[in-house]
Amino acid sequence: MKESSSVHRARPAALALAAGLLLGGVAPAVADTHDAPAHDIAVMVESMTLEEKIGQMTWTHVYGSSAHDTSMAASNQARYGVDTPAEVVQKYNLGGVLYFAWSGNTNNPEQIAGLSNSLQDAALAEEGPGIPLAVTIDQEGGLVARVGPPATQLPGNMALGATFDTDLAQAQGEILGAELQAMGVNVNFAPVVDLNSNPDNPVIGIRSMGEDTDAVSELGAAQINGMQQYIGATAKHFPGHGDTETDSHYGLPVVTYDRATLDDHLQPFQAAIDAGVDMIMTAHIIVEAIDPNLPGTLSPDVLTGLLRQEMGFDGIITTDALDMAAMTDHWSQSEMSVMAIQAGSDILLNSPDVDASIAGVQEAVANGAISEERIDESVTRILEWKAERGVLEDPYTDPGAVDSIVGNADHLNTAATIANRSITLLRNEDRALPLDVDSDTVLVVGAGSAWPERLGPMLADRGFDVIEEYDNGSSPSPAYRERAVAAASGADAVVFTSYNASSNAAQQQMVAALAATGTPVIVVAARNPYDINVFADADAVLNSYGYNVVNYGAVVRAIAGDINPSGALPVDVPTVDGSQTLLPIGYGRHYPGPPDHAGPPEHSGAPDHAGPPDHAGPDN
């Protein structure tokens, strides 16, 4: 806890305004502090204790669905030594909180709005830091989305990348920003601007918008422009996590490419900086071209030398979560916290031991390893951001506005348009697609991790006669393969959902066995877009870049011929041995006739489609 409450009785004007807001949620009219004079922030920083300053730099998750929820007290006790989310905020004078589904924070939009408001109450209470919170989340869309329906489910970044459309990218950013703002979130740790240049990347993949530097730069900047109409955006993971073969959640990746290659990975971050992105998140990876010894999160050469000085970023730098194995396997909590600040980070995100983190930084200041002036730099930057974003003026959201904003018809329509425009037809031998809804019987099978049981009923709803055979797991068992082959004789076509099949022999064997029956096999590559390189026997291959309902809705429309696939590969697809390029960035086939860019069948008015690089295959 703080040393005394005197700081709260002598708050500067902007802070006093924040403390005077209605504790129930919606604030009364107050003066505009977006252009608050810089000396106000200086007075705020000067009035704070060292412990309170470190608290502003500490952003972490809390367990519970409201500020005073005790249902997850055991989890809060185990990590923080207190019972409730409010007590976590107040114990550490937190500058920010981070929402997850698994920590009980994101049950539904109305509950999230209530949690946000109640946590702001806790921060502004006499026992709290007296400064409104940054309320943060990882809502990238697609694979990483902490808030589920009725919030708008977006097809994901690689699906967006397959449209090559900056208007849609901006629209995606606007949806994320507007819906999160309605839920009281003021920072999104998105977009991912990593280039997924390594097909074996286990952690980025379809979270990336692609591999082309110019396309990812333009799409990323457009997303940021859209999102920052409402809340702060974060470009991640600096200086680029897209060429790794290790997931930093489980180990410490090292990339060995040269500076010229690194410059390609830096280009989307430079575009984000030029677009005015509020924050940049570090990557727990060693980039040997800059610092062969320390990961970016802990490297002064990466964060200060490269990001601040060379690239000119003057916004907020946040670490990636410090409880990931790339950090915890190599450094103690106090070591990593001190090193991250020394490197140039402003925020210590999701420390696994907040007590040790704060104690370590306090000791480093006491022994001169970190100057208090260095702490003040970060706290000033954080508070200036809170002033500029209006968080100091009014951190609350209106719960009554949630229903009209979150998951509204316009947002859902845009998500469906992105999905429709993303579907990428890579092969269509003998015009296997589209199928005839009125006459074709379809067998739906696939890797369990690709959720074929989600796709089958959707095809049935569209009017197909559907035979369903499902099994669990990424690797289809021999028994499942036998059942599927037997069922294929009663079908006019087989739809097989694959999931990173390039590295899965069982999926490859199942597709080969199905093709040997003579029944046309249509593969829907539901995760990373490289699966065609092991499916030479498939009659048709569609990439959906995701297996959520919004992705599969577009797959159904493409299979039925309701839309003409118009997506194009946002990455190069290598041959299976990696020695050559099988299909280049921009490749995509279409049904005879012009590709359909009109969006969902029942709607119109989709943004204009500028098109990918000119590598499209012939109509067939």
Side-chain angles (χ1 to χ4, degrees):
M1 300 295 288
K2 57 194 155 299
E3 296 170 5
S4 76
S5 62
S6 61
V7 64
H8 301 291
R9 291 194 293 270
R11 295 172 187 158
L15 198 52
L17 280 172
L21 297 174
L22 290 177
L23 296 183
V26 184
V30 294
D32 185 359
T33 59
H34 286 260
D35 298 317
H39 69 268
D40 281 355
I41 301 300
V43 170
M44 291 172 69
V45 174
E46 186 178 355
S47 71
M48 297 168 71
T49 66
L50 176 61
E51 186 176 6
E52 289 170 328
K53 293 175 185 177
I54 300 170
Q56 277 302 300
M57 299 172 67
T58 301
W59 299 10
T60 192
H61 76 271
V62 292
Y63 293 96
S65 61
S66 66
H68 302 289
D69 180 11
T70 59
S71 66
M72 302 184 76
S75 296
N76 282 319
Q77 279 286 346
R79 188 151 179 145
Y80 305 117
V82 296
D83 289 337
T84 68
E87 290 171 331
V88 179
V89 169
Q90 292 167 353
K91 175 179 179 179
Y92 300 115
N93 300 292
L94 289 184
V97 293
L98 173 60
Y99 287 169
F100 291 104
W102 50 259
S103 58
N105 304 148
T106 61
N107 301 331
N108 60 71
E110 291 81 5
Q111 169 268 320
I112 297 168
L115 172 62
S116 300
N117 284 343
S118 64
L119 287 174
Q120 297 294 4
D121 288 348
L124 292 172
E126 189 67 20
E127 299 83 1
I131 299 171
L133 293 163
V135 180
T136 74
I137 200 167
D138 295 279
Q139 188 80 354
E140 300 168 8
L143 192 64
V144 177
R146 311 303 189 198
V147 186
T152 300
Q153 301 304 289
L154 291 155
N157 275 336
M158 193 164 284
L160 177 67
T163 74
F164 287 84
D165 192 316
T166 54
D167 288 342
L168 287 177
Q170 175 151 336
Q172 174 163 308
E174 290 174 3
I175 290 169
L176 289 167
E179 295 196 0
L180 290 173
Q181 183 187 61
M183 291 181 269
V185 175
N186 48 43
V187 178
N188 193 9
F189 290 135
V192 172
V193 295
D194 301 312
L195 301 179
N196 198 73
S197 57
N198 188 335
D200 296 323
N201 193 317
V203 64
I204 302 301
I206 56 174
R207 296 170 64 194
S208 164
M209 287 175 279
E211 185 178 357
D212 182 80
T213 54
D214 291 338
V216 174
S217 297
E218 293 168 9
L219 293 169
Q223 269 206 75
I224 289 163
N225 287 335
M227 200 180 307
Q228 291 197 164
Q229 294 179 33
Y230 301 91
I231 62 174
T234 309
K236 64 185 187 184
H237 308 80
F238 186 84
H241 208 319
D243 193 25
T244 62
E245 295 183 5
T246 301
D247 182 343
S248 53
H249 292 86
Y250 306 109
L252 179 57
V254 179
V255 292
T256 60
Y257 47 59
D258 58 18
R259 177 59 196 254
T261 302
L262 173 62
D263 285 344
D264 288 338
H265 288 268
L266 294 177
Q267 181 178 316
F269 290 97
Q270 188 65 64
I273 293 168
D274 295 343
V277 70
D278 285 7
M279 302 185 190
I280 289 179
M281 178 180 284
T282 69
H284 303 327
I285 66 171
I286 292 176
V287 180
E288 290 190 343
I290 299 296
D291 187 334
N293 300 310
L294 292 174
T297 299
L298 305 181
S299 172
D301 290 340
V302 171
L303 298 190
T304 298
L306 178 60
L307 182 54
R308 291 281 189 216
Q309 297 173 357
E310 186 174 334
M311 298 178 70
F313 181 60
D314 61 3
I316 292 175
I317 298 175
T318 177
T319 69
D320 202 344
L322 293 175
D323 57 0
M324 294 161 62
M327 295 286 100
T328 58
D329 286 354
H330 301 275
W331 294 274
S332 72
Q333 178 59 74
S334 59
E335 287 173 333
M336 70 176 82
S337 296
V338 169
M339 293 172 70
I341 293 171
Q342 290 172 329
S345 186
D346 302 302
I347 294 165
L348 304 173
L349 186 66
N350 224 38
S351 299
D353 187 339
V354 175
D355 292 289
S357 175
I358 291 174
V361 176
Q362 287 175 319
E363 182 179 355
V365 173
N367 66 27
I370 298 175
S371 69
E372 190 156 0
E373 288 76 18
R374 168 68 190 86
I375 299 294
D376 289 351
E377 288 176 10
S378 288
V379 176
T380 298
R381 196 173 283 119
I382 292 165
L383 294 182
E384 286 179 342
W385 174 84
K386 289 183 177 182
E388 290 164 2
R389 276 280 157 207
V391 176
L392 292 185
E393 175 190 356
D394 180 2
Y396 293 105
T397 189
D398 178 3
V402 170
D403 285 344
S404 63
I405 296 172
V406 177
N408 68 36
D410 288 341
H411 293 177
L412 296 175
N413 183 39
T414 299
T417 298
I418 296 170
N420 285 350
R421 293 269 301 280
S422 74
I423 298 299
T424 307
L425 180 64
L426 299 181
R427 182 185 301 144
N428 197 21
E429 297 297 330
D430 298 323
R431 297 188 178 178
L433 288 173
L435 300 180
D436 189 334
V437 176
D438 296 323
S439 63
D440 283 341
T441 298
V442 181
L443 169 65
V444 180
V445 294
S449 47
W451 288 77
E453 65 269 31
R454 181 175 285 160
L455 181 59
M458 296 174 72
L459 285 164
D461 287 345
R462 178 60 186 83
F464 287 101
D465 183 13
V466 175
I467 304 169
E468 299 175 272
E469 282 284 351
Y470 305 132
D471 198 13
N472 295 325
S474 296
S475 299
S477 66
Y480 178 39
R481 299 200 297 265
E482 290 177 9
R483 294 200 314 270
V485 167
S489 62
D492 298 299
V494 178
V495 173
F496 179 93
T497 60
S498 70
Y499 185 99
N500 293 351
S502 295
S503 58
N504 190 286
Q507 292 182 49
Q508 298 168 30
Q509 292 163 8
M510 187 167 178
V511 168
L514 288 165
T517 68
T519 302
V521 176
I522 298 155
V523 169
V524 176
R527 180 96 187 239
N528 291 340
Y530 310 104
D531 288 2
I532 190 174
N533 64 12
V534 293
F535 288 141
D537 295 327
D539 296 273
V541 178
L542 290 167
N543 282 5
S544 65
Y545 311 100
Y547 44 82
N548 287 333
V549 169
V550 66
N551 304 85
Y552 277 173
V555 168
V556 169
R557 289 188 283 272
I559 289 174
D562 298 329
I563 60 171
N564 191 342
S566 62
L569 282 172
V571 296
D572 287 329
V573 173
T575 55
V576 70
D577 64 2
S579 63
Q580 301 177 60
T581 297
L582 177 68
L583 297 174
I585 293 171
Y587 185 90
R589 292 178 175 271
H590 319 295
Y591 303 153
D596 180 3
H597 295 160
E602 68 273 22
H603 298 286
S604 61
D608 291 337
H609 180 43
D614 188 14
H615 295 148
D619 294 342
N620 66 5

